[in-house]
Amino acid sequence: MEKTIEDPPTSAVLLDHCHFSQVIFNSVEKFYIPGGDVTCRYTFTQNFIPRQKDWIGIFRVGWKTVREYYTFMWVTLPIDLNNKSTKQQEVQFKAYYLPKDDEYYQFCYVDQDGVVRGASIPFQFRPENEEDILVVTTQEELETLQSINKKLELKVKEQKDYWETELLQLKEQNQKMSSENEKMGIRVDQLQAQLSTQEKEMEKLVQGDQDKTEQLEHLKKENGHLFLSLTEQRKDQKKLEQTVEEMKQNETMAMKKQQELMDENFDLSRRLSEKKMIYNALQREKERLEGENDLLKRENSRLLSYMGLDFNSLPYQVPTSDEGGAGQNPGLVYGNPYSGIQESSSPSQLSIKKCPVCKADDICDHTLEQQQMQALCLNCPICDKIFPATEKQIFEDHVFCHSL
């Protein structure tokens, strides 16, 4: 199987050495010759079940996290896990993917959760020489192997110390996560208590880390929903602010309209007061004219009785309607009792009017001037009251009051 472009699953969680024995590497050489393919053989223990995303990587001795692999190969799942012959598996690393230096490396089996399930003894990539062919029999060579072994033990100790340091750093990170995320605080406290009191439950904590990741993804989704809800609320708030602004504008326009109506009402009230004053004045004028009319009636009766005439026996009667009354004096309600006599005696004198200035019988300049003045004035058709042409509104109100 060739190396694929897809990266293998890894994890930043600290390693638990108790899992390293679940996959056992067999027939691992002390060194491999550069330029050739390398076959890695391994065996599954009884309680270990491989999964689809498991992989085997080549790591430089002293590695600290599974992300520091040099190269890797995907594991091929056996067809029947219950068959004993399937326990023995192997993968082949192509030569062009292998390291080119003489550092010490080892095989590591990593499951799809990023947890190391097995590690091989260290080996090197270097050319074969005669010393490697000879069987180690001398004391000097034994002392050399012991020195290499001590170096490896020192590197293992350094790796363990680094893991312990990483453990302390992860504890501090867990404390920061508990302060930043209130919803996961209780769970983080429980995990922190378990990390400090029960080292035997490390595997449960690794599984718990996966649960925390799922919870964190869930919280991210909830955060996204809350953000969308907040965005919608902000939109609604903006709409409300626009509505309030429109209401304020409408209120301002309504107040302006109300002020205009109040001004118009005030103007109408003023005009109504003026009309009432005119009406009262006209009413008083009417009462005065009625009093004068009564006086004229009594005077007419007295004159008729003095002349020995009866009002009903006169040839001219007062018209019962407005017909023919346009030429009568509007100040006399019952007409002029002498009009009939005057018409019968000298009818031509009624149609001839003399100029009050020059006493001329014909039309003169004074008469024309008087007619022009009348054209510039407004005469009440009822009471003959004269108004200037500029006071047309007062004239119309005056005429209107006669109909009240």
Side-chain angles (χ1 to χ4, degrees):
M1 177 185 295
E2 295 183 356
K3 179 180 177 181
T4 60
I5 299 177
E6 181 183 1
D7 293 332
T10 58
S11 174
V13 180
L14 292 179
L15 303 176
D16 191 351
H17 295 80
C18 63
H19 300 307
F20 282 19
S21 61
Q22 293 183 352
V23 177
I24 300 174
F25 289 92
N26 304 319
S27 303
V28 179
E29 303 292 340
K30 293 181 180 180
F31 64 89
Y32 293 93
I33 300 174
D37 298 338
V38 174
T39 301
C40 174
R41 297 179 178 84
Y42 56 94
T43 304
F44 297 129
T45 58
Q46 183 176 1
N47 297 326
F48 180 75
I49 299 176
R51 289 181 288 180
Q52 186 176 3
K53 289 292 185 177
D54 292 356
W55 53 284
I56 296 177
I58 296 178
F59 292 80
R60 181 179 294 178
V61 174
W63 58 275
K64 298 174 177 61
T65 64
V66 294
R67 296 175 181 174
E68 300 179 14
Y69 64 90
Y70 185 88
T71 185
F72 79 98
M73 292 295 296
W74 294 110
V75 172
T76 303
L77 296 179
I79 299 175
D80 186 7
L81 293 175
N82 296 325
N83 191 352
K84 292 183 179 181
S85 61
T86 61
K87 299 295 182 180
Q88 179 72 27
Q89 301 292 324
E90 65 179 31
V91 293
Q92 190 175 43
F93 291 90
K94 297 297 181 180
Y96 47 83
Y97 288 129
L98 298 177
K100 302 298 187 294
D101 53 25
D102 58 353
E103 297 289 335
Y104 282 93
Y105 293 88
Q106 62 182 151
F107 299 116
C108 290
Y109 189 100
V110 184
D111 64 10
Q112 67 179 17
D113 296 326
V115 180
V116 178
R117 300 295 181 175
S120 70
I121 61 173
F123 54 84
Q124 289 180 291
F125 292 94
R126 60 182 178 83
E128 183 179 10
N129 51 38
E130 296 180 356
E131 294 180 357
D132 296 326
I133 300 175
L134 296 178
V135 179
V136 179
T137 56
T138 64
Q139 184 68 24
E140 182 178 357
E141 292 174 347
L142 180 61
E143 290 175 357
T144 302
L145 292 175
Q146 290 177 353
S147 176
I148 294 174
N149 190 25
K150 288 180 180 181
K151 291 181 181 180
L152 292 176
E153 290 178 354
L154 182 60
K155 288 185 178 181
V156 171
K157 186 177 181 303
E158 290 177 354
Q159 185 175 1
K160 183 178 180 181
D161 293 339
Y162 178 80
W163 287 346
E164 291 177 354
T165 303
E166 288 289 327
L167 179 60
L168 294 175
Q169 292 179 355
L170 278 183
K171 288 181 179 180
E172 294 177 355
Q173 291 178 0
N174 287 332
Q175 291 177 354
K176 291 180 180 179
M177 289 177 63
S178 63
S179 62
E180 293 175 355
N181 196 336
E182 295 180 358
K183 292 184 179 181
M184 293 183 64
I186 298 174
R187 182 57 180 168
V188 171
D189 293 337
Q190 293 176 353
L191 293 175
Q192 188 66 28
Q194 291 176 1
L195 286 172
S196 61
T197 58
Q198 298 180 358
E199 295 181 357
K200 295 180 181 181
E201 297 182 358
M202 183 65 71
E203 183 177 0
K204 294 181 180 180
L205 291 177
V206 174
Q207 185 65 33
D209 182 74
Q210 182 180 1
D211 296 337
K212 287 192 296 181
T213 303
E214 294 176 356
Q215 292 178 6
L216 183 60
E217 292 295 330
H218 180 68
L219 289 176
K220 287 181 180 179
K221 292 181 180 179
E222 290 184 353
N223 189 20
H225 293 313
L226 291 175
F227 179 76
L228 293 176
S229 177
L230 180 61
T231 304
E232 293 178 357
Q233 290 180 0
R234 288 178 177 175
K235 291 181 180 179
D236 295 338
Q237 183 180 3
K238 187 174 182 180
K239 291 181 180 179
L240 290 176
E241 291 177 353
Q242 293 177 354
T243 303
V244 170
E245 186 66 25
E246 292 177 358
M247 292 178 65
K248 288 182 179 179
Q249 294 178 358
N250 293 334
E251 183 180 2
T252 303
M253 294 177 64
M255 292 179 66
K256 185 177 180 180
K257 185 66 176 179
Q258 183 180 6
Q259 185 64 34
E260 293 177 355
L261 292 175
M262 290 177 65
D263 295 340
E264 185 178 354
N265 188 23
F266 177 77
D267 184 63
L268 291 175
S269 299
R270 180 183 59 79
R271 293 177 61 185
L272 181 60
S273 299
E274 293 177 355
K275 290 181 179 180
K276 285 182 178 179
M277 293 175 63
I278 296 173
Y279 172 76
N280 293 331
L282 293 175
Q283 188 68 23
R284 289 193 297 269
E285 181 69 16
K286 179 182 177 183
E287 292 175 356
R288 185 184 65 80
L289 293 175
E290 287 178 351
E292 292 180 357
N293 190 21
D294 292 337
L295 292 175
L296 290 175
K297 286 171 64 178
R298 289 193 296 268
E299 181 68 18
N300 289 338
S301 298
R302 187 183 65 81
L303 292 174
L304 289 173
S305 62
Y306 176 78
M307 295 174 64
L309 297 176
D310 187 6
F311 179 78
N312 295 324
S313 63
L314 293 175
Y316 176 79
Q317 298 293 331
V318 178
T320 58
S321 64
D322 291 339
E323 296 179 358
Q328 303 296 324
N329 190 345
L332 300 178
V333 178
Y334 295 97
N336 189 351
Y338 305 102
S339 61
I341 300 173
Q342 294 174 354
E343 288 176 359
S344 61
S345 61
S346 58
S348 61
Q349 294 179 356
L350 296 176
S351 60
I352 300 174
K353 294 183 180 180
K354 295 182 179 181
C355 176
V357 178
C358 62
K359 304 299 181 178
D361 293 336
D362 296 330
I363 298 175
C364 62
D365 295 336
H366 299 93
T367 306
L368 294 175
E369 183 179 358
Q370 185 178 5
Q371 292 178 356
Q372 292 176 358
M373 290 296 294
Q374 291 179 354
L376 297 176
C377 298
L378 300 173
N379 295 330
C380 177
I382 299 175
C383 65
D384 284 342
K385 188 174 181 180
I386 299 174
F387 295 88
T390 57
E391 297 181 356
K392 184 178 180 180
Q393 184 63 43
I394 299 176
F395 167 74
E396 292 177 354
D397 295 339
H398 171 77
V399 175
F400 174 74
C401 289
H402 284 293
S403 64
L404 296 178

